[in-house]
Amino acid sequence: MERRKIIAGNWKMNMTPRQAVALCAELKDLVKTQEADVVYCVPAVDIVPVVEAVKGTNVEVGAENMYFESKGAYTGEISAEMLVDAGVKYVIIGHSERRDYFKEDDALLNKKVKKAFEAGLTPILCCGETLEQRETGVTMDWIRLQIKSDLVGITAQQVSSMVIAYEPIWAIGTGKTATTEQAQEVCKGIRDCIAEMYDNATAEAVRIQYGGSVNAGNAADLFAQPDIDGGLVGGASLKADFGKIVNYK
Ligand code: PGA
């Protein structure tokens, strides 16, 4: 079975609402493609104007975070239901910046993944090792632990429809991309882990992205790997280059 590629921009904490609309206009023709799903994961205040700006195009909108409760006294948080009502289809869960700076642990992320599915969002679940972990040789052990903990109670059918993003922390925003071999090896390891936890059909269906300094120059090589089904793109998603990444072939 051929998996459809999915290429998502992670805008992080960039772009005011006005800038966001301007960027959508700039990228509109550049990101046209029949070959892949294209997603902009944008800051919360940009969601409404970006959903409007990409109407009628091939671009879907994602959020960068959400909370696991539906509503109530959680000052500053945003629920999955709010995202769905605003027109959001995807949500990044467990980005390393959230795990690190905001102390989000696997128990919390598991609740978020569950809630995302319950509300009808597609999670883009992030995992990845530090440089120290890679050098110590525990990369795959660590990532398997993250995946297993974050997917507790998630069904095979749900996993088949989700996206997992492998993002080595040492490659994020550093200009240091993992080699295609390193990226492929871990993405395959994640697929093997899903096969063990569920079954081969689920492992074959789940889409696994690579993220970490993806750019117009390395996208084609990375996305040609058998277990890499697209990318989660930070810095390069904020410029015209994103069009080249989306049309990498
Ligand atoms: P980068 O970020 O492409 O700027 O390295 C990727 C990410 O953190 O999702």
Side-chain angles (χ1 to χ4, degrees):
M1 191 199 62
E2 180 77 353
R3 285 180 300 274
R4 189 170 162 82
K5 295 272 192 278
I6 177 162
I7 298 162
N10 173 12
W11 289 10
K12 308 196 178 187
M13 198 174 76
N14 295 293
M15 300 286 134
T16 67
R18 261 176 257 267
Q19 290 168 336
V21 170
L23 181 61
C24 289
E26 185 193 338
L27 294 179
K28 189 174 174 190
D29 291 329
L30 304 176
V31 299
K32 276 190 186 148
T33 176
Q34 311 277 351
E35 309 278 319
D37 293 336
V38 181
V39 185
Y40 296 166
C41 297
V42 307
V45 291
D46 295 345
I47 286 171
V48 170
V50 168
V51 166
E52 189 59 35
V54 301
K55 248 191 201 138
T57 75
N58 59 317
V59 175
E60 297 282 9
V61 179
E64 298 176 11
N65 184 28
M66 52 163 263
Y67 197 53
F68 65 85
E69 294 286 1
S70 297
K71 60 177 180 171
Y74 304 100
T75 302
E77 292 298 319
I78 292 175
S79 72
E81 287 84 353
M82 291 172 184
L83 297 177
V84 169
D85 192 50
V88 167
K89 298 280 194 283
Y90 294 86
V91 58
I92 298 177
I93 293 179
H95 190 281
S96 60
E97 286 150 18
R98 296 220 56 91
R99 291 180 189 259
D100 184 9
Y101 306 146
F102 304 100
K103 304 286 168 263
E104 296 196 359
D105 63 17
D106 290 311
L108 173 72
L109 298 173
N110 177 237
K111 289 184 186 165
K112 292 190 178 195
V113 172
K114 278 189 183 140
K115 184 64 197 194
F117 278 121
E118 218 179 280
L121 292 167
T122 299
I124 300 176
L125 174 67
C126 300
C127 58
E129 81 287 6
T130 61
L131 187 58
E132 192 185 7
Q133 286 170 325
R134 175 158 286 272
E135 286 172 348
T136 318
V138 299
T139 295
M140 216 49 239
D141 298 315
W142 173 251
I143 286 168
R144 287 167 61 89
L145 182 65
Q146 288 185 319
I147 296 292
K148 287 188 176 184
S149 320
D150 298 345
L151 294 183
V152 170
I154 306 297
T155 67
Q157 199 190 350
Q158 288 171 326
V159 172
S160 301
S161 71
M162 76 182 292
V163 180
I164 297 173
Y166 166 55
E167 298 203 306
I169 294 168
W170 48 272
I172 295 177
T174 56
K176 249 177 114 175
T177 325
T179 64
T180 47
E181 291 74 23
Q182 287 172 325
Q184 161 59 23
E185 187 186 14
V186 178
C187 289
K188 176 165 191 313
I190 293 170
R191 206 176 296 288
D192 290 344
C193 179
I194 297 293
E196 283 167 36
M197 291 169 68
Y198 297 91
D199 50 52
N200 284 337
T202 307
E204 282 304 311
V206 65
R207 293 190 289 179
I208 304 176
Q209 298 174 316
Y210 168 79
S213 299
V214 173
N215 60 44
N218 58 28
D221 265 0
L222 286 163
F223 301 169
Q225 300 302 307
D227 289 292
I228 302 181
D229 306 315
L232 184 56
V233 184
S237 70
L238 300 168
K239 353 183 235 193
D241 266 17
F242 193 60
K244 293 194 190 137
I245 295 173
V246 165
N247 290 289
Y248 62 94
K249 273 193 184 157

